[in-house]
Amino acid sequence: MLLEVLPHMTQLSIFHKEELRISFARRFRGGNVTQIDVYCLIQCIDPEEEEQFSLCQHTASCIVPFICEFTKLQAVGLDVDADGVPLGTYFRDSFVQEDSVEIVRSLVRSICGAYQTGAISQEARLYGPAFQAGTFICYKAEACNLCKMYCQSFPMEQAVNARATCISVRERLDTIASRPGGPECLASKTLVLELLRSNYEVPFILETAPNVSTSKTAKVFSKAVMEELEILCKHYFNAKSLEKSDVIEALGADEDDGEIWLVGKYYEKLLEFDFPVSSSDLNVVDESKLLSDVHYHM
């Protein structure tokens, strides 16, 4: 009966570390498993402290050899605990055991090796505590080999989004560009529009007449986003190819009045990068008018 069912299974859930055995995985050889969820990597240390976790060393060391047995794999979930609750914060803040940081880095290193050798298909997406939502998180103060290995190995759509790595924006993009299909990935319209959507708002006061004013918000970008846009538009992507309507939509108009206010220095940058916008499409405000003391330019 079991042998008849196995070829029809498409999803596998692992709740105990003892289940991560090659002999068990090989029962599914030639099968159709496309998704594996591992619920035993993350362990709650204190049930009364909801965000205190550790990682199971045994599980971490067995994951990669186990999943390499599944040739049709599309997704592996490593970011949930035994109750199926997603890990909501990054491991630096949540894991109270220092060893967990090294465990997760070792796990990522093993996954990189599996991607590089083809043991795991580039079509498979892995989601775990160190790469929430496909974004690798590294808190090393200096550049580490693991971050570059991540950009060289993981599927490019995940590597492109690894913006919290310890390597520079330029090195990350150049590393991706050196991969087969890398320049085409960086020439993606979707990537550039996502960067435009990552703007946020800072308040300012607009004087509409003498002694008459109203509160508004202006769009600003982080230094890292502007650096990435500059590299992409100068080396990989032709911003002139964008439709003006797509750019305006990505910047995001105010829900109340439909207007877009953009800080002047960012407007000038968009023009420099050849984005199809003009002063008739949006309103420009000088940086000195902003009220917030937030370090939006960092």
Side-chain angles (χ1 to χ4, degrees):
M1 181 67 178
L2 179 61
L3 294 177
E4 294 177 358
V5 173
L6 290 182
H8 300 286
M9 293 182 63
T10 59
Q11 186 172 350
L12 192 62
S13 297
I14 304 296
F15 290 94
H16 304 286
K17 60 185 180 182
E18 291 78 12
E19 296 171 350
L20 291 167
R21 296 181 177 274
I22 300 298
S23 58
F24 176 64
R26 287 176 178 171
R27 295 181 184 179
F28 298 88
R29 182 170 289 176
N32 295 295
V33 173
T34 58
Q35 180 174 337
I36 298 177
D37 294 304
V38 179
Y39 295 93
C40 52
L41 174 63
I42 300 169
Q43 302 172 323
C44 182
I45 295 176
D46 185 349
E48 295 182 0
E49 297 290 338
E50 295 182 354
E51 292 189 352
Q52 291 193 358
F53 301 90
S54 68
L55 293 184
C56 175
Q57 173 70 73
H58 183 280
T59 298
S61 63
C62 293
I63 285 173
V64 173
F66 182 83
I67 64 177
C68 286
E69 294 292 323
F70 298 85
T71 59
K72 297 182 180 180
L73 206 55
Q74 296 177 4
V76 179
L78 307 173
D79 55 352
V80 289
D81 64 15
D83 296 319
V85 178
L87 179 62
T89 53
Y90 298 135
F91 71 89
R92 181 188 68 169
D93 301 318
S94 297
F95 296 150
V96 298
Q97 292 188 351
E98 185 176 345
D99 289 348
S100 292
V101 177
E102 292 308 314
I103 290 173
V104 82
R105 290 179 67 83
S106 178
L107 173 58
V108 173
R109 191 174 289 107
S110 296
I111 294 171
C112 287
Y115 273 129
Q116 288 179 337
T117 60
I120 301 177
S121 168
Q122 285 286 314
E123 300 301 317
R125 302 293 182 267
L126 279 77
Y127 302 95
F131 31 99
Q132 290 285 323
T135 302
F136 179 58
I137 305 299
C138 177
Y139 293 98
K140 294 288 186 181
E142 300 177 353
C144 69
N145 292 334
L146 183 56
C147 285
K148 187 165 186 177
M149 186 184 298
Y150 180 95
C151 293
Q152 292 170 329
S153 311
F154 266 65
M156 278 188 284
E157 67 181 51
Q158 288 184 273
V160 163
N161 290 320
R163 298 189 177 94
T165 55
C166 64
I167 60 176
S168 68
V169 173
R170 184 58 187 262
E171 185 175 4
R172 172 169 58 83
L173 296 179
D174 286 349
T175 299
I176 295 169
S178 68
R179 298 174 56 178
E184 290 79 8
C185 175
L186 297 180
S188 165
K189 162 182 153 180
T190 300
L191 173 59
V192 171
L193 291 177
E194 284 179 355
L195 287 170
L196 288 181
R197 290 190 183 94
S198 67
N199 68 75
Y200 54 103
E201 299 177 336
V202 174
F204 73 98
I205 300 298
L206 175 66
E207 295 182 1
T208 56
N211 300 320
V212 180
S213 61
T214 184
S215 177
K216 293 283 187 180
T217 57
K219 308 286 184 179
V220 299
F221 292 92
S222 69
K223 180 180 178 180
V225 166
M226 293 309 297
E227 181 181 1
E228 188 160 348
L229 278 173
E230 181 171 10
I231 294 171
L232 289 174
C233 293
K234 289 188 175 181
H235 300 281
Y236 303 106
F237 181 77
N238 179 13
K240 291 180 179 179
S241 66
L242 290 170
E243 296 290 338
K244 179 181 294 189
S245 58
D246 289 336
V247 176
I248 298 302
E249 185 277 330
L251 289 173
D254 185 89
E255 294 182 358
D256 296 326
D257 56 24
E259 292 184 326
I260 296 176
W261 286 88
L262 184 63
V263 172
K265 68 178 184 180
Y266 299 116
Y267 172 68
E268 294 298 328
K269 281 293 184 182
L270 293 186
L271 294 181
E272 178 186 334
F273 302 158
D274 291 328
F275 280 91
V277 292
S278 67
S279 57
S280 63
D281 303 313
L282 46 79
N283 303 295
V284 179
V285 60
D286 189 84
E287 183 180 5
S288 63
K289 301 291 185 182
L290 301 181
L291 297 179
S292 176
D293 59 356
V294 175
H295 296 294
Y296 61 89
H297 58 285
M298 298 300 291

